[in-house]
Amino acid sequence: MLRFVTNRLIAMVLTLWAVSFVAFAIIQLPPGDYLTTYVASLSAQGERVDPRMIEALRNQYGFGEPFIVQYWKWISGILTRGDFGQSFEWKAPVTSLIWGRLGNSLLVEGLAVLVMWTIALPIGIYVAVKKYSLGDYLATIAGFIGLAIPNFLMALLLMYLSFVWFGTTIGGLYSPGFENAHWSLPKLMDFLSRAWAPVLVLATAGTAELIRILRANLLDELKKPYVVTARAKGLPEWKVILKYPVRVALNPLVSTIGWLLPALVSSSVIVSVVLNLPTAGPLLLRSLTSQDMYLAGAIIMLLGVLTVIGTLISDLLLAWIDPRIRYGSK
Amino acid sequence: MRNVSGLGLSGAVAFMALLAASGPALSQQAPMLDELVSSGALPPLEERLPANPLVIEPVESIGTYGGTWRSALRGGLDNAWIARTVAYDGLVRYDREWKEIIPNLAESWEVSADSRTYTFKLRDGLKWNNGTPFTSEDIAFAVELFSEPTYGGGTFIKNPQNPVSVEVVDDTTFSLVFGNPNGVIMDELASVNGLTLVSLNKAYCSQFYPAYNENAGAEAQAAGFETWEAWMEDRCGWATETIRWGNPELPFMNAWMVEQPLTGDATRATFVRNPYYWKVDTEGNQLPYIDRLDMRVSDSLEEITLMALNGEIDFQDRHIATVVNQPLFFDGQEQGDYRLGANVPSNMNTLVLQFNLNHVDEKRRELFQNKDFRIGISHLLDREEIIDVVFTGQGEPFQAAPRPESPFYDEEMAKQYTEYDPDAAAAAFEAAGLVRNGDYYTFADGTPLNVTIDLISSFRSEWVDMMELMQLQLEAGGINIELNNIDRTLYYDKRLVGDYDAQIWQGDGGLDVIQEPRYYMPSGAESVWAFRWQAWYNGSDPEIAEEPADWAKEQMDLYTQLRGEGDPAVRDDLMKQILAIAKENFPVIGVSLPGNGYYIAKNNMRNIAEPMLHAYLFPTPAPYDPFQWYFD
């Protein structure tokens, strides 16, 4: 097991290095650079920009240098000093911008995962055990509707309905008074009074998928002889199902936990923009459109880290729920 | 709209003198400051105000103190809204009719006969919001800093064709001395860009500048910045850019000062009254009336729109006041307890179609430079249909020409070739040497003519609707059109390459005719229709610069004269000559005059002028003095 984890860690480092390289390359693919965008926005406001100043800035930002030199500067800063570079737009170190946003992202999206699993697991088990029942059909229809409605549309609907019905706007994660307050019970209540909307939107999107996977897996397992044996031996029905087939059926779900985090972050970008959530999504979108490359690079890089860590977690979990899987030993 | 006339101003100054003589009893300040003064944390009002504070005549009536003005910023980098509401106090400013330049921080100024030396007299006793004196030295510092080639935006201080220096006479008197005559500097100082010169506190900002602090470079690196310029920019900025509002320590001369800074992860930015603000109303009450500004930072237009409908916005026009939203806001007035007021936009057109007169392809360049071709295109546009369908009937057919409100308005220029007339178009195309081959026109040698028009739909959503209609209309008249919806950066990169048929943009320069002549002559990089000609004129991008046609060269000569001319009447005359040449040569095609814009104001917000002229250089609502708005 130890050897497995070590191997995994080495692979992680290599993967991250590749991710960083690709991330940095992708950001530089579109035509122009941050300064083009900057000049565009200035002239949209009617300001005129001296080409000489642009030239000076281009040198200052190091845009004239070859790709590999720019990449090396960036990655060595991260490795040696934990310095992700400067955000061009905010003229501030990237690190000062992203941590709070990533924290909010993890909070909202973690809650969404939790809600998704809490809804999907019981329903998934229920519809497998009672297949083709009325409950099965209802749950399936509800799940598919959740999957089919685009997230942004659902967010818009929620905003509109809460405006029409309750006369409130549900944008953001905190009310005005709580934005900068320390965590406390009232702040938590305030957070929950607003966070339900994005959590609901994000959770409904993935629920149907989970239900269907769990249902299919469980249906396969329920027919197997060991289930019949357990039943024949007189084990209570709930124990028969929960202790054995469900554990096995969870396997494919657990092994994809690693993809869950980045998928949620990327799927939540538009929801976050619509609902004005202070998460990493809008920051990433904004930095990509303005070609604020160090900021975008840092966020993409951290999403990569999340994926890799998530994969490691799912591997460990898998080993725990399914002892048949034995890593590294012969 | 009332104007602080010269007579009213001097009368008000006399009134203030009387006031000073009769003691401070009449003078008033906001209740939130009373306690600070009685506890000794703040000096009394007489010591905070200059000897002759600027007296502002309220739009309707004397106001009452207090309240919070709520509005919203779109995303974090919406500096223009802050510039328009908070940061508009230069040496001088425009009157409310955008006709005259009137005193502000400077109480008077003199121009030398050769228009090279501008001598300003500051109000005596002006103070930054931290209580330190604002003097000529601060101005000299700003000029010194912006003269650094590596620092600052593209301000007039950096103009290599007309270098400037400062002569400090005393604490309140200084001169800007230009290398060559400068006729446009007062307009620059009165516009939103005027802030650059008066927004650097020497005592605070010099600590980041190697000329005053030899350790500045090392300290910048210790703070995590590669260069002193980056550190300076982070702490002091240079104009109205967003970064300025992230540092509460940075001193300001504005009516409100940073309370909750606007940083990259902020969800709200707030401003609080400047206790040293140097303007009073006609009864001697210190301005501003409103205590606080509270700006929601939102990436979501939907959220801002709902906030406005829900009555959570006290005044705003930016972002939400769109054509599409208008009926929505109109219907929601009662429920949201707000009203709609009119903005007169400075744009003279909803869309300007610019054929590339400098196309890299020989044949196309020749065609696009042919005035008959452009006339034919213009006659094919059914502008009434576009106005009815896209703009619910608001506006009128209009070319790229000064607005009716402008002193430069010329009806013939605005209306020429705007009637829908397929026969006239056919004749014009024939005159331009095109041949009709079946459904479409081709070049004379039979090669097909497909015109690709670039547009950015993300900038103005109505452009897509307009362009699709125009495509149908032009194709019905035999011109094969392809629409190319592209990203903003690509749009800008294409200019240098020169391989585009046509691009579109909004109609800047309807009221700010002299300041923004981009469609009347090849004046700058935004003159996309003649990018290589303007490069020749401006000395930028020499590798692609091309010698312009004679008429454009004549315009450039006139504009160069204009920039060096001190007499406004002569300047206007020169501009009229430039416009006459534009009218004759018809370089770009307009569609329609934009209908009035609108703003949303809560019903209890008072003293808002109606209607307001609206432009970026004349940054509405700033010229209408938001610091004299109040809640009743």
Side-chain angles (χ1 to χ4, degrees), chain A residues 306-318:
Chain A
L306 283 183
T307 317
V308 174
I309 291 176
T311 312
L312 182 70
I313 293 175
S314 63
D315 284 345
L316 295 178
L317 274 179
L318 216 51

Side-chain angles (χ1 to χ4, degrees), chain B residues 402-419:
Chain B
R403 285 185 66 94
E405 296 86 355
S406 163
F408 295 106
Y409 176 64
D410 172 351
E411 188 174 340
E412 197 187 335
M413 181 177 185
K415 297 291 179 184
Q416 61 180 350
Y417 320 122
T418 53
E419 63 278 13

